[in-house]
Amino acid sequence: MPISAPVIHSKLPDVGTTIFSVMSKLAQEHGAINLSQGFPDFPIDSELANQVSAAMAAGHNQYAPMPGLPALRQALAAKLQASGSPVDAETQITITAGATQALFTAFAALLQPGDEAIVFDPSYDSYVPSIQVQGARAIRIPLRAPEFVIDWQRVAAAVTPHTRMIVINNPGNPSTAVLSADDLTELANLAEQHNLLVLSDEVYEHLVYDEARHHSVLADPRLAPRSLAVFSFGKTFHATGWKIGYCAGAAALMSEFRKVHQYLVFSVNTPAQHALATYLADASHYTSLPAFYQAKRDILRQGLANGPLRLLPCRGTYFQLVDYSALPSHLSELDDADFAIWLTREAGVAAIPLSPFYAERCGHKLIRLCFAKQTATLQAATARLASL
Ligand code: PMP
Ligand code: GLN
């Protein structure tokens, strides 16, 4: 008798490989400057690296407590308190294996099959699959272009008796938009009116520029009791490969979060937690970030200012969106995915198209460039892009 393969009913039938892996691989294959996947090409602070070595040498190499090292949670509680977000270290913070795990854990802990979670397109690529795996539905609402602002009337109209959660990403990747204080008021009104949960992805909390200010859900007395917020040390301390972040928020929600967290990962890399607890004591390690990244943003923008790519405003994150519709028609007529491939192969600069962050082809002629790079990298890339 022939042995048949087991039938697999995919939980994610429409999902392929993430665009970040696809474009970084293509960049490598073609030797292109990689401004696609978001990661720095410069080293982490040697002080932080030394603190990890010291923690290992001191014997901190076994399991950390399940919610995270108390010293790290206390350092984070102090940091949050200083920015107007009162959070209890014992009951309201959990250290995670990066923001991606924090997001997935929050969805798994808080969504029931059949629940609806509202997300805003372009939405970071892990949200929708992570919601769907729970048997819940992602209700995707496009941000209003070209500023990528939330249309709150549209959100209100999308709420149904099944709506359980609103997911925000502030500052937004890939929109680069930063929510205003008024946005948070609208969110709080809607969340209170319909008794909704809020999951707020704030991994770029420190990467806000010009007059923009970051407003955390944790600092809003109406939102804090119904919210979880996620953060990433990978983003804040230039160490995306460490995969360490944290989730903070309402104690009742955190209690459910930890029930899932303890069986998903149990606990997170111990020596890195020791190092981060020490490193966080010096606030300049993160208060210096806006100026540091704004300078990089401006090198990229100045390098492209006289070229054919049109720059969109960039208020936050370490990404710059550019519009390629003014290029000669054989290029401007390409869709964004094909243009990003062409750019990688033929111009030697890899970028991320915007359509993977939408439910369907968005029609935008936009690509995303990462400026978390050394000056020489940015200059080499802009020289190529300005002469398209
Ligand atoms: N959310 C957003 C908006 C991101 O850009 C990223 C990418 N770092 C993540 C979450 C995931 O962060 P981590 O690498 O800590 O999992
Ligand atoms: N967050 C990063 C980006 O937006 C990528 C993270 C990943 O590769 N999963 O580029």
Side-chain angles (χ1 to χ4, degrees), residues 4-334:
S4 54
V7 178
I8 296 168
H9 299 290
S10 175
K11 289 194 162 189
L12 298 171
D14 303 324
V15 165
T17 303
T18 138
I19 189 67
F20 306 123
S21 302
V22 170
M23 294 312 300
S24 271
K25 182 161 178 277
L26 198 69
Q28 212 167 19
E29 281 164 10
H30 293 273
I33 300 171
N34 190 0
L35 303 192
S36 65
Q37 191 178 24
F39 62 87
D41 73 343
F42 45 86
I44 64 167
D45 187 347
S46 58
E47 188 184 325
L48 180 57
N50 290 339
Q51 280 158 356
V52 181
S53 304
M56 287 196 272
H60 298 302
N61 299 303
Q62 309 309 329
Y63 291 127
M66 182 273 281
L69 203 70
L72 179 54
R73 284 185 282 131
Q74 279 150 17
L76 290 169
K79 173 179 185 290
L80 287 163
Q81 173 82 46
S83 65
S85 302
V87 169
D88 174 48
E90 189 54 41
T91 56
Q92 293 187 258
I93 301 177
T94 300
I95 311 303
T96 62
T100 312
Q101 184 240 307
L103 290 161
F104 189 95
T105 305
F107 290 130
L110 302 176
L111 294 178
Q112 302 283 346
D115 281 349
E116 293 176 356
I118 290 175
V119 304
F120 297 102
D121 282 353
S123 53
Y124 183 64
D125 75 335
S126 83
Y127 303 161
V128 171
S130 302
I131 291 166
Q132 289 172 340
V133 160
Q134 319 307 331
R137 285 183 64 207
I139 306 300
R140 310 182 70 151
I141 299 181
L143 295 172
R144 213 171 45 215
E147 295 284 315
F148 293 110
V149 289
I150 296 179
D151 180 342
W152 287 106
Q153 280 188 351
R154 207 166 159 175
V155 185
V159 174
T160 75
H162 299 290
T163 310
R164 180 78 179 127
M165 177 188 278
I166 299 186
V167 183
I168 59 168
N169 177 205
N170 179 31
N173 175 17
S175 72
T176 85
V178 176
L179 296 185
S180 66
D182 286 348
D183 284 316
L184 264 74
T185 302
E186 297 275 7
L187 177 63
N189 291 345
L190 207 64
E192 280 187 346
Q193 190 186 348
H194 299 282
N195 203 12
L196 305 176
L197 302 171
V198 174
L199 180 56
S200 182
D201 179 343
E202 304 187 11
V203 301
Y204 299 103
E205 58 171 333
H206 296 297
L207 277 51
V208 288
Y209 312 122
D210 307 320
E211 310 80 47
R213 292 290 167 269
H214 173 65
H215 299 286
S216 175
V217 290
L218 302 179
D220 183 309
R222 292 164 68 206
L223 286 168
R226 55 180 70 249
S227 299
L228 290 179
V230 305
F231 304 89
S232 171
F233 293 117
K235 297 294 165 188
T236 301
F237 296 137
H238 320 305
T240 61
W242 283 21
K243 296 302 300 189
I244 300 192
Y246 56 104
C247 181
L253 303 179
M254 188 53 70
S255 163
E256 291 304 314
F257 181 96
R258 286 181 183 172
K259 290 181 191 174
V260 176
H261 174 80
Q262 67 183 341
Y263 295 122
L264 193 56
V265 288
F266 180 66
S267 70
V268 173
N269 188 301
T270 303
Q273 290 197 56
H274 277 273
L276 288 163
T278 310
Y279 194 71
L280 276 166
D282 182 349
S284 72
H285 290 144
Y286 47 88
T287 54
S288 58
L289 287 171
F292 175 77
Y293 274 117
Q294 185 163 324
K296 294 192 178 296
R297 178 198 70 170
D298 292 343
I299 292 170
L300 180 69
R301 289 179 72 89
Q302 276 151 23
L304 297 178
N306 298 318
L309 297 171
R310 189 171 64 79
L311 294 157
L312 270 66
C314 167
R315 304 205 166 81
T317 77
Y318 50 45
F319 303 112
Q320 171 68 52
L321 295 177
V322 296
D323 181 320
Y324 61 91
S325 54
L327 288 177
S329 60
H330 70 284
L331 296 176
S332 62
E333 281 167 9
L334 294 175

